[in-house]
Amino acid sequence: MLSHLSIRNVALIDNLTIEFCDGFNVLTGETGTGKSIIVDAIGLILGERADRELIQSGKDYAQVEGLFYLKRPEKVAPILEQYGVPIEDDGTLLLMRQLSRSGRNICRINGQMVTLSVLKEVGQHLVDIHGQHQHQSLLNVEYHIEILDRLGGDVIALLKQQVGQLYSQWKAVRREMEELINLERDGERMKDLLSYQINEIEAANLKVGEDVELVNERSLLQNAEKIMSVVQEAYDVLYRGSTTGTAVFDQLASVRDRFAQIAQFNEVFARISHDIENIYYQLEDIIDRIRNYRDSFDYDPDRLNEIESRLSLIHSLKRKYGPTIEEILALKEKLQQQLLTIESSQEKLEQLRLQERKIYGKLVEACIELSRKRRELAEVFEQQLVCQLKELGMEKTRFKVEISSPDLGSFAEGRLEASASNYITSQGFDRVEFLISPNPGEPLKPLAKIISGGEMSRVMLAFKTVLAEKDDIPTLIFDEIDTGISGRIASVVAEKINELSRSHQVICITHLPQIAVMADKHYRIEKKVCDGRTVTHVHLLDDQERQIEIAKLIGGTEVSQIGLEHAQELIDTARKIKQAVN
């Protein structure tokens, strides 16, 4: 439900907040007071197109916020999750839109900035506006099949699920077939290329980490003279000694022996003696390693040439097939798989064709059953809707659920591709459109092309009444639904809306007292002059104020005692009707 609506700097509205109830809300007021502005404001947070003329004169921006309480958040949760919008634990959803004179829109959902298209995607699951406005889901032909299917409940839902699963399987097989057909088209050329690439990689006999080892070895060979000079000098200094003095190893041995002689006299000397002993053995180990490296080092110019040649080959393969040896080897496996696929493509293609025919047959059968159920459902729906329209004063109205399906003969195996691509979708092969003729002698026409706003609103009300428990859009707004009706029909419309408000939140703008008296909350919209400016105010009426407002709706601006009595009589009658229904 729409709990709170906050409007700022929109047309005649400075700063206004309306708190709606979850039942039947009515807004009344004289023509020109700004009732349509409120509906336009709601349209803004639902992602409707905005006119900069809505921005109040002298202001830089207009802003609308709507706070919704979601009884079934799972309907919009996947959309919000897709765009990373957080969902509040208490089920609240705050939609905000700010419109600037530059034409820029700032849209937020629960404080997170989103695009206008996301705002509209979420909004279409929250509110349906009927009347002189365009936020009317029933005018969207693509939505008609969803409406009909929702009326069918679990039976249709299960059939659609089956069709959807088979359709997904069928499309997946067809995509795989298309890939194989494309492979076959250039198969021989691809086979030669793949074979060449695989052989080139295999001939190199690559090993993971080989390039790093070769670079290290090359570095040693390129610097062999310097390395051996350092190694020999170190060996001489540490072990052999030189003309400049005794070897470090011999000097350390002497120091070790002398400290061993005094270690018994002091703990400090003992520790030093122990540490020198450790250093002596460590140095001995180092000298052994230096000697071994010196004796085993073999500088071979031919080996350096081999390394350069090998690294050049590896570099060439990296340029062609990948930046690392690991990726080159992984690519080789992928190429081998592609080659195997091409070599076995004809056999695989035949298997896929058999698989496709099998799935396609099941899919067509499921589509036929779904279509049959829809046609049965359509007959019931037509009767129910015509009945509702008669009660709403449209006795001569004809209504038709037109279901267009292909000639089933076109689904024969020999004409598979042509027929399937044209008709079958994840929802079956039916095309559904609602047609109506509100007046005798007129042909049936699409809903979007019919008549006046008043007739349209009553048609929408009839739809919503039939679909009451199946319709998952929680808030319905009827803008001046009373156009062209009065008397008994007005009372019927009022009772229909009241019945509808038991499963939906209803916000209704009306001029009819018969409708206004059925409301759970009644708001009066009026214009006032403040500081030389005309502004729109909305006031929630108490019982006495409501009686006066109903009397004005009955007899005009002058309120008489008879008018007040008549108003109270209507209010009392409405209360009894509501109590009986509840």
Side-chain angles (χ1 to χ4, degrees), residues 174-190:
R174 285 177 64 85
R175 281 194 298 271
E176 193 173 352
M177 287 173 58
E178 187 65 29
E179 291 173 1
L180 284 179
I181 291 170
N182 291 335
L183 276 177
E184 274 199 327
R185 189 176 297 127
D186 300 317
E188 289 303 318
R189 182 182 63 83
M190 286 295 294

Side-chain angles (χ1 to χ4, degrees), residues 372-474:
R372 186 180 68 81
K373 289 293 185 182
R374 280 177 176 149
R375 292 176 186 279
E376 293 176 359
L377 187 62
E379 292 181 7
V380 176
F381 186 33
E382 289 169 355
Q383 295 170 5
Q384 291 177 338
L385 194 72
V386 168
C387 181
Q388 291 293 330
L389 290 172
K390 285 181 180 179
E391 294 180 9
L392 291 168
M394 299 178 70
E395 294 88 351
K396 305 298 183 180
T397 300
R398 291 184 297 137
F399 175 76
K400 175 71 175 176
V401 179
E402 184 176 74
I403 301 179
S404 302
S405 303
D407 176 9
L408 296 183
S410 68
F411 282 86
E413 288 185 14
R415 297 156 68 185
L416 171 65
E417 285 77 10
S419 61
S421 60
N422 290 333
Y423 287 104
I424 293 184
T425 72
S426 59
Q427 299 194 86
F429 53 49
D430 294 322
R431 303 290 183 270
V432 176
E433 183 173 8
F434 299 149
L435 306 178
I436 195 166
S437 172
N439 301 306
E442 291 185 0
L444 290 163
K445 295 180 180 179
L447 274 178
K449 296 183 179 180
I450 69 164
I451 45 168
S452 67
E455 286 177 310
M456 176 63 83
S457 292
R458 279 183 282 165
V459 170
M460 299 303 174
L461 180 57
F463 266 98
K464 294 300 179 181
T465 302
V466 173
L467 298 169
E469 295 301 325
K470 306 294 183 181
D471 198 334
D472 55 4
I473 300 180

Side-chain angles (χ1 to χ4, degrees), residues 323-357:
T324 66
I325 291 178
E326 290 90 337
E327 292 184 60
I328 293 173
L329 295 175
L331 176 64
K332 184 193 74 171
E333 293 183 4
K334 183 177 179 181
L335 296 175
Q336 288 173 328
Q337 185 60 44
Q338 290 179 0
L339 181 60
L340 180 63
T341 299
I342 291 175
E343 291 174 343
S344 60
S345 61
Q346 189 58 47
E347 180 182 351
K348 178 66 173 176
L349 188 58
E350 287 302 318
Q351 294 175 354
L352 288 174
R353 285 196 174 109
L354 291 173
Q355 186 180 358
E356 185 208 24
R357 291 191 185 100

Side-chain angles (χ1 to χ4, degrees), residues 162-163 166 169 356-368:
Q162 181 184 5
V163 168
L166 288 169
Q169 296 172 17
E356 185 208 24
R357 291 191 185 100
K358 183 177 179 181
I359 296 174
Y360 180 73
K362 293 180 179 179
L363 176 58
V364 171
E365 289 178 4
C367 288
I368 291 173

Side-chain angles (χ1 to χ4, degrees), residues 175-324:
R175 281 194 298 271
E176 193 173 352
M177 287 173 58
E178 187 65 29
E179 291 173 1
L180 284 179
I181 291 170
N182 291 335
L183 276 177
E184 274 199 327
R185 189 176 297 127
D186 300 317
E188 289 303 318
R189 182 182 63 83
M190 286 295 294
K191 281 172 64 176
D192 292 342
L193 176 60
L194 291 171
S195 296
Y196 172 80
Q197 292 173 328
I198 292 168
N199 291 336
E200 185 177 28
I201 296 173
E202 286 183 337
N205 195 25
L206 297 173
K207 295 180 177 59
V208 175
E210 173 187 6
D211 49 345
V212 176
E213 293 176 3
L214 289 171
V215 168
N216 291 336
E217 187 179 355
R218 181 180 64 179
S219 179
L220 290 175
L221 292 174
Q222 288 174 337
N223 296 279
E225 184 176 350
K226 181 178 181 180
I227 290 171
M228 289 309 298
S229 173
V230 171
V231 169
Q232 185 61 51
E233 182 181 356
Y235 183 75
D236 290 345
V237 170
L238 294 175
Y239 188 72
R240 293 182 60 181
S242 64
T243 57
T244 59
T246 307
V248 171
F249 186 71
D250 293 337
Q251 293 183 46
L252 183 61
S254 176
V255 171
R256 180 197 64 174
D257 294 341
R258 293 177 67 84
F259 259 92
Q261 295 172 5
I262 65 173
Q264 58 183 318
F265 301 127
N266 187 289
E267 180 63 30
V268 173
F269 297 154
R271 287 198 298 270
I272 292 174
S273 177
H274 179 267
D275 291 342
I276 292 174
E277 184 83 10
N278 288 338
I279 294 172
Y280 175 84
Y281 289 118
Q282 290 176 12
L283 182 58
E284 187 178 36
D285 178 64
I286 291 171
I287 291 170
D288 286 341
R289 283 187 283 159
I290 292 174
R291 182 190 300 112
N292 292 336
Y293 186 85
R294 182 199 63 182
D295 295 343
S296 64
F297 189 84
D298 181 20
Y299 175 72
D300 183 358
D302 292 335
R303 175 57 183 164
L304 183 58
N305 291 333
E306 290 175 5
I307 291 173
E308 293 289 1
S309 176
R310 182 65 175 171
L311 285 174
S312 177
L313 173 62
I314 293 173
H315 181 66
S316 175
L317 293 175
K318 284 182 177 181
R319 286 203 317 269
K320 291 181 180 180
Y321 304 119
T324 66

Side-chain angles (χ1 to χ4, degrees), residues 64-173:
V64 182
E65 292 180 299
L67 179 64
F68 292 83
Y69 281 97
L70 306 179
K71 294 181 179 178
R72 299 175 64 186
E74 67 273 9
K75 292 296 180 180
V76 296
I79 302 173
L80 299 176
E81 184 177 346
Q82 178 184 353
Y83 297 106
V85 178
I87 302 175
E88 300 297 330
D89 293 336
D90 60 358
T92 56
L93 193 66
L94 180 63
L95 272 56
M96 187 281 285
R97 184 174 177 188
Q98 188 180 97
L99 177 66
S100 67
R101 290 203 174 275
S102 65
R104 293 182 59 189
N105 286 276
I106 297 177
C107 305
R108 296 182 188 274
I109 300 178
N110 280 355
Q112 180 161 314
M113 192 172 293
V114 297
T115 63
L116 183 60
S117 61
V118 173
L119 192 69
K120 187 167 187 174
E121 187 177 356
V122 172
Q124 68 184 359
H125 293 279
L126 302 176
V127 180
D128 232 346
I129 299 179
H130 306 300
Q132 307 301 319
H133 303 267
Q134 297 305 310
H135 190 74
Q136 300 177 0
S137 58
L138 292 179
L139 296 185
N140 184 354
V141 175
E142 299 299 321
Y143 188 61
H144 291 182
I145 194 169
E146 292 291 340
I147 294 173
L148 182 64
D149 289 348
R150 198 160 58 243
L151 192 65
D154 292 341
V155 174
I156 293 290
L158 289 173
L159 283 172
K160 286 185 71 175
Q161 182 181 14
Q162 181 184 5
V163 168
Q165 291 173 346
L166 288 169
Y167 179 78
S168 296
Q169 296 172 17
W170 177 62
K171 293 293 284 185
V173 171

